[in-house]
Amino acid sequence: MNIMKILNFWNRLGVNIRRVTLPAHILTLVGIASVFTGATNWLWLMIIYPAWFLFGHIGYGIFVHRYFCHRSFETYTWISRLGAFFGLLSGAGSAMNVKVIHVGYHHPHSDTELDPHTPTKGLWWSYLLWQNHKIDLAKDKIWVVKDMMKDPYLKFFHNHNYKIYWGSWLLLALIDWRLAVFIVSAATVLEFHLLSIANTFGHYKHKWSYQNYQQGRDNSQNITWLNWITLGHGLHNNHHADPRNYNHAHKKGEFDTAKWLIPLIEKRSIK
């Protein structure tokens, strides 16, 4: 009976939690344990943040979020496809799935019943449990990703998201298991928690947050300490006020590395 309960609970979990989030946490804990037992050199921990920078900051933050979701800049096709691949390795899902959730639901319905990860439904909901929400591109706002569906590479990334993620992991593991764990799994874990903090506390007023813009029911917040860690993704209130502006830093003392990174790959500005 207990086994059946566990299986039922497992099946109720969101696909991304079962196939990426939970396994990545387990593998990362194994890697960290190997460091503390002396089986692995602690220097391996030093590659986690650079890996996150490539997959989480560049892949997800610059390409999946700013480029594919908001089209805040234009770049060359091969660069955007490479960015989509890096974003996939962040473990956040395919760029198409993210765009449906982010552009189809989150921005137009922020902090309402239609917002998939609003903390008004509970902090645990916005941090983790919202991922149990199932998105079917055939039914849910498919118009949002019509432009992306014309690209065979993006469709391939979407249809084979988990195969590509774990195939890449396996290729690294064949070289050295620590490469797979500390570059892919640990970066996925870090990205998961940074995104979850942004989804939760980036829409929940607290003593470490502030707003530059009042936007009705939209309770988006800027979080300075999160912005320093994420290199620009903590200025959530600024982003909600001007989604197509790739530079989220609007006031003196705020910073966003996208201000310097995107011009290096930008084809032409559309602002």
Side-chain angles (χ1 to χ4, degrees), residues 8 34 65 121 123 136 203 227:
N8 288 333
S34 73
H65 186 202
K121 298 178 181 179
L123 298 184
D136 184 352
H203 279 269
N227 197 57

Side-chain angles (χ1 to χ4, degrees), residues 119-177:
T120 59
K121 298 178 181 179
L123 298 184
W124 273 114
W125 174 267
S126 57
Y127 200 94
L128 171 65
L129 298 179
W130 75 271
Q131 290 195 33
N132 294 329
H133 179 75
K134 293 177 173 58
I135 294 294
D136 184 352
L137 289 187
K139 300 176 181 178
D140 291 359
K141 298 182 181 291
I142 193 171
W143 58 268
V144 174
V145 292
K146 271 192 173 182
D147 59 329
M148 297 175 70
M149 294 183 71
K150 297 176 183 177
D151 190 318
Y153 288 84
L154 298 181
K155 286 184 68 176
F156 181 81
F157 289 161
H158 173 74
N159 292 330
H160 303 281
N161 172 32
Y162 300 114
K163 295 175 184 175
I164 296 170
Y165 179 90
W166 288 110
S168 301
W169 189 96
L170 183 59
L171 286 175
L172 287 175
L174 290 174
I175 301 171
D176 191 316
W177 70 270

Side-chain angles (χ1 to χ4, degrees), residues 59-77:
Y60 183 89
I62 299 295
F63 283 99
V64 175
H65 186 202
R66 288 171 172 85
Y67 180 74
F68 289 110
C69 286
H70 296 294
R71 293 291 179 178
S72 59
F73 66 97
E74 287 296 333
T75 189
Y76 300 94
T77 301

Side-chain angles (χ1 to χ4, degrees), residues 38-67:
T40 298
N41 193 300
W42 66 268
L43 289 174
W44 280 96
L45 297 174
M46 301 292 288
I47 69 174
I48 297 175
Y49 192 79
W52 169 83
F53 180 84
L54 181 60
F55 302 141
H57 183 57
I58 301 295
Y60 183 89
I62 299 295
F63 283 99
V64 175
H65 186 202
R66 288 171 172 85
Y67 180 74

Side-chain angles (χ1 to χ4, degrees), residues 78-145:
W78 71 270
I79 293 179
S80 68
R81 289 169 176 170
L82 183 62
F85 172 69
F86 288 157
L88 186 155
L89 292 182
S90 75
S94 75
M96 286 189 186
N97 246 19
V98 172
K99 187 171 183 178
V100 167
I101 295 170
H102 193 71
V103 178
Y105 291 96
H106 177 59
H107 270 273
H109 307 291
S110 291
D111 297 314
T112 69
E113 187 63 28
L114 293 177
D115 185 349
H117 46 68
T118 173
T120 59
K121 298 178 181 179
L123 298 184
W124 273 114
W125 174 267
S126 57
Y127 200 94
L128 171 65
L129 298 179
W130 75 271
Q131 290 195 33
N132 294 329
H133 179 75
K134 293 177 173 58
I135 294 294
D136 184 352
L137 289 187
K139 300 176 181 178
D140 291 359
K141 298 182 181 291
I142 193 171
W143 58 268
V144 174
V145 292

